[in-house]
Amino acid sequence: MLPGRADKKQLLAYAMIFPALFFFVLYLLFPLVKSLQMSFYDYDGVGPLSDFIGFGNFAEGFRDSRFYEAMGHNWILMAVELVVSMCVAFALAYFLFQGVFAWKWFNVVLFLPYIIPLAVSAVIWSLIFEPTIGMLNQLLAAVGLDSWQRVWLGSQDTSLLSVILVWVWRTIPFDMLILLGSLLKIPKELLEASKIDGCTGLRSIWHIILPLMLPTIMLLSIISIANDFRSFDIVWIMTQGGPIGSTEIASTLVYKLGFQENHYGYANAVAFMVFVIVTAMVGLVGLLLRSRNGKNERTGGQEG
């Protein structure tokens, strides 16, 4: 029996999906399964997997102070990025939304930090933070603030703050663009009506704009959380997790465990632990977003 038109369309759909599905399995799903398999072995990267130790690597991870220290730095980076980057990005997006002169050109200029490759950004900022010829210390000396000069990336007191500053600088443009898009979708009639009712300025932002943008903000938070745990490039190029582990994050710890200490089994276990933690966090935010959308739909249905 010849396949019908519906069957042909379904086969065509599967054929169109297959290339993307193939590369998804090859480059994401297969490495994930292989990583989980290796995490159950005491493996040094040479030869076949033979020394099965079960959950021994995971137990070692829960006992390892370096893991908790690295995760702590990740939490700090994530918290600062979410708060500072989101607030600054919203302020810039609102500034552009108000229709300032040549706002499209401002949009392009403000988005430039995100266009610059991560490695290039890290090298540029490393030169800025350089203690002897760096622009930051020279600028402080020029304005008479010599006492504020520091070895920014070589001191345990300032290294983490310096790296976080660069990461926030990097993430603001993307957040700004997404928030600006959300602002532009707000009906102008609604904002004009609020002005007639006397709801302007901060009151308009708090009671009208932010509630309408909340789904976008929560979705952006999910993206930011996932990206914050992948900030390997910036940290590795600028400090390699030093000095004395003061900027160590989960991804640099995994790299060192696997490629410098040759503890591939343990490195995969730590990587999988981080994966589970990030997935749980993203899932929690996603559930909050879904529950809020469901509540809004029920409210809208009742009103209708």
Side-chain angles (χ1 to χ4, degrees):
M1 181 176 179
L2 294 175
R5 181 173 295 181
D7 294 332
K8 289 182 178 179
K9 287 185 176 180
Q10 192 171 17
L11 288 174
L12 179 62
Y14 284 131
M16 299 293 287
I17 293 173
F18 177 77
L21 184 62
F22 173 77
F23 286 108
F24 172 80
V25 172
L26 181 63
Y27 291 114
L28 184 63
L29 192 59
F30 175 74
L32 185 63
V33 173
K34 192 66 176 178
S35 173
L36 180 61
Q37 180 191 10
M38 291 175 63
S39 67
F40 294 110
Y41 290 82
D42 184 11
Y43 184 56
D44 61 0
V46 180
L49 298 173
S50 58
D51 192 1
F52 181 79
I53 58 173
F55 289 95
N57 285 323
F58 293 94
E60 183 180 352
F62 285 113
R63 294 192 301 266
D64 193 347
S65 60
R66 291 190 300 172
F67 172 71
Y68 291 103
E69 185 178 8
M71 288 300 297
H73 294 155
N74 263 122
W75 291 115
I76 295 171
L77 184 147
M78 182 188 69
V80 174
E81 190 273 329
L82 282 174
V83 175
V84 177
S85 180
M86 204 77 74
C87 290
V88 175
F90 176 80
L92 293 172
Y94 187 74
F95 173 74
L96 296 173
F97 176 68
Q98 293 302 307
V100 296
F101 176 73
W103 71 272
K104 291 184 179 180
W105 290 103
F106 277 111
N107 195 7
V108 172
V109 172
L110 292 172
F111 195 68
L112 282 177
Y114 191 77
I115 300 174
I116 301 173
L118 273 172
V120 176
S121 299
V123 171
I124 291 173
W125 278 98
S126 296
L127 294 174
I128 291 174
F129 287 129
E130 212 281 330
T132 54
I133 61 172
M135 185 184 299
L136 180 56
N137 276 350
Q138 288 191 358
L139 180 62
L140 291 173
V143 297
L145 296 175
D146 302 73
S147 60
W148 288 25
Q149 292 180 330
R150 297 288 187 276
V151 183
W152 298 100
L153 298 178
S155 170
Q156 290 181 270
D157 298 326
T158 57
S159 55
L160 183 60
L161 177 63
S162 302
V163 170
I164 291 175
L165 173 66
V166 177
W167 185 247
V168 170
W169 170 83
R170 166 76 182 183
T171 56
I172 285 175
F174 178 79
D175 293 353
M176 178 199 71
L177 191 66
I178 300 300
L179 295 175
L180 178 60
S182 180
L183 279 168
L184 292 173
K185 290 193 298 183
I186 297 176
K188 292 183 179 179
E189 297 80 7
L190 181 61
L191 297 177
E192 290 173 357
S194 67
K195 288 181 180 179
I196 295 173
D197 293 336
C199 185
T200 58
L202 292 177
R203 292 178 61 190
S204 175
I205 293 174
W206 185 256
H207 294 289
I208 297 177
I209 293 177
L210 284 179
L212 291 173
M213 293 180 63
L214 189 57
T216 301
I217 293 173
M218 295 186 71
L219 181 61
L220 190 57
S221 298
I222 293 175
I223 298 173
S224 296
I225 291 171
N227 286 335
D228 290 342
F229 278 85
R230 296 188 299 176
S231 52
F232 173 84
D233 310 66
I234 291 284
V235 176
W236 188 256
I237 293 173
M238 294 183 68
T239 64
Q240 296 190 6
I244 319 178
S246 59
T247 59
E248 194 83 271
I249 58 174
S251 54
T252 59
L253 176 63
V254 170
Y255 179 85
K256 289 179 179 178
L257 290 172
F259 294 101
Q260 293 185 353
E261 300 178 19
N262 293 330
H263 295 162
Y264 284 92
Y266 180 41
N268 280 279
V270 171
F272 203 81
M273 290 164 65
V274 175
F275 170 77
V276 171
I277 292 171
V278 175
T279 302
M281 291 177 59
V282 169
L284 178 60
V285 178
L287 286 175
L288 292 174
L289 178 59
R290 181 177 296 181
S291 64
R292 184 186 182 279
N293 290 339
K295 183 179 178 181
N296 289 343
E297 290 177 0
R298 289 193 299 271
T299 304
Q302 292 174 359
E303 290 177 353

